[in-house]
Amino acid sequence: GNSVTQMEGPVTLSEEAFLTINCTYTATGYPSLFWYVQYPGEGLQLLLKATKADDKGSNKGFEATYRKETTSFHLEKGSVQVSDSAVYFCALSVSNQGGKLIFGQGTELSVKP
Amino acid sequence: DTGVSQDPRHKITKRGQNVTFRCDPISEHNRLYWYRQTLGQGPEFLTYFQNEAQLEKSRLLSDRFSAERPKGSFSTLEIQRTEQGDSAMYLCASLMRGADRNEQFFGPGTRLTVL
């Protein structure tokens, strides 16, 4: 079956630190990979996506590269800000399986000034 | 276009009661998804519609749960004879199948508490 595993939180960093949140997946078929973010009190928002191997998704200084050989899609940011404090979810979908999203358990990030 | 909306935002009910939630997707989106999210976990897929047709139901969707999308517009999710284990955030998302971005847009969710 399809599944997503991401590193457990909470992750606490100081402002301007480097961020990595690990995400690995198993999938039948050819998945698209996503990172969603949930800010406090708000709904899920798409942060970035990649649809095929070696694609790099990027947005708001965050990046993630679709690595088929290691079945990974790690989220990185070079310099985090307090405003990046949120819960981050890695997810996959397989288009011939209805496009439903399979999520990891989420990683809470707290950035201190 | 104001995005995906859900109503109510919060619902508190007693065990054994029935509840119904509504989701209004983005108007031109033909796919609509329901997810359930419990505390500290990622959302779990429940069911989805393409237009008015319900195309898939998760094993999580017991026979106490039913969902409809009449006329392919808004959708309702009903839970009969609620149990404490049904307490969760219920999320709705919509998508325009075939759109380049293939992005699901999420509503704010309905938080259900079963006492």
Side-chain angles (χ1 to χ4, degrees):
Chain A
N2 300 330
S3 67
V4 174
T5 302
Q6 56 183 109
M7 66 185 281
E8 293 188 13
V11 173
T12 302
L13 295 174
S14 298
E15 204 165 22
E16 299 184 1
F18 184 86
L19 169 71
T20 300
I21 300 177
N22 290 338
C23 171
T24 58
Y25 67 89
T26 58
T28 56
Y30 300 96
S32 295
L33 302 174
F34 305 83
W35 277 99
Y36 277 81
V37 60
Q38 191 169 36
Y39 297 104
E42 299 185 15
L44 281 165
Q45 302 173 28
L46 179 65
L47 180 60
L48 54 84
K49 62 176 272 190
T51 57
K52 61 183 187 296
D54 301 325
D55 268 2
K56 177 185 284 187
S58 61
N59 186 26
K60 299 181 180 180
F62 291 89
E63 293 183 338
T65 301
Y66 189 142
R67 301 286 188 200
K68 187 177 179 182
E69 63 277 12
T70 54
T71 62
S72 64
F73 192 56
H74 304 321
L75 182 69
E76 296 182 336
K77 186 175 186 182
S79 176
V80 294
Q81 305 300 311
V82 172
S83 58
D84 294 326
S85 298
V87 182
Y88 293 82
F89 294 94
C90 185
L92 67 82
S93 74
V94 181
S95 61
N96 64 355
Q97 296 177 17
K100 61 182 180 286
L101 289 164
I102 308 298
F103 287 88
Q105 75 270 32
T107 301
E108 182 180 2
L109 171 65
S110 177
V111 181
K112 305 298 184 186
Chain B
D1 175 23
T2 57
V4 179
S5 62
Q6 293 187 244
D7 183 71
R9 295 290 304 275
H10 303 274
K11 178 71 177 178
I12 300 174
T13 191
K14 293 183 179 178
R15 189 176 53 189
Q17 298 295 304
N18 300 343
V19 295
T20 300
F21 311 140
R22 177 178 170 126
C23 170
D24 286 89
I26 294 172
S27 58
E28 65 270 24
H29 285 188
N30 51 15
R31 280 198 177 173
L32 186 150
Y33 299 80
W34 285 98
Y35 297 86
R36 180 172 68 188
Q37 185 178 18
T38 53
L39 198 62
Q41 300 298 315
E44 296 174 296
F45 168 77
L46 293 178
T47 188
Y48 88 97
F49 294 83
Q50 181 157 313
N51 300 314
E52 66 276 10
Q54 188 174 18
L55 297 186
E56 185 176 349
K57 294 166 61 173
S58 162
R59 293 190 309 271
L60 295 175
L61 214 64
S62 77
D63 57 6
R64 296 184 298 106
F65 288 70
S66 62
E68 295 182 339
R69 194 183 181 198
K71 302 179 183 178
S73 55
F74 71 91
S75 176
T76 58
L77 178 68
E78 180 183 16
I79 309 174
Q80 295 183 328
R81 305 181 303 281
T82 52
E83 302 173 356
Q84 288 185 327
D86 297 332
S87 295
M89 178 75 85
Y90 290 83
L91 300 171
C92 174
S94 70
L95 171 150
M96 185 65 186
R97 183 170 182 264
D100 286 343
R101 291 200 66 195
N102 201 30
E103 175 183 351
Q104 291 190 26
F105 291 82
F106 281 81
T110 295
R111 182 169 295 285
L112 172 66
T113 302
V114 182
L115 302 176

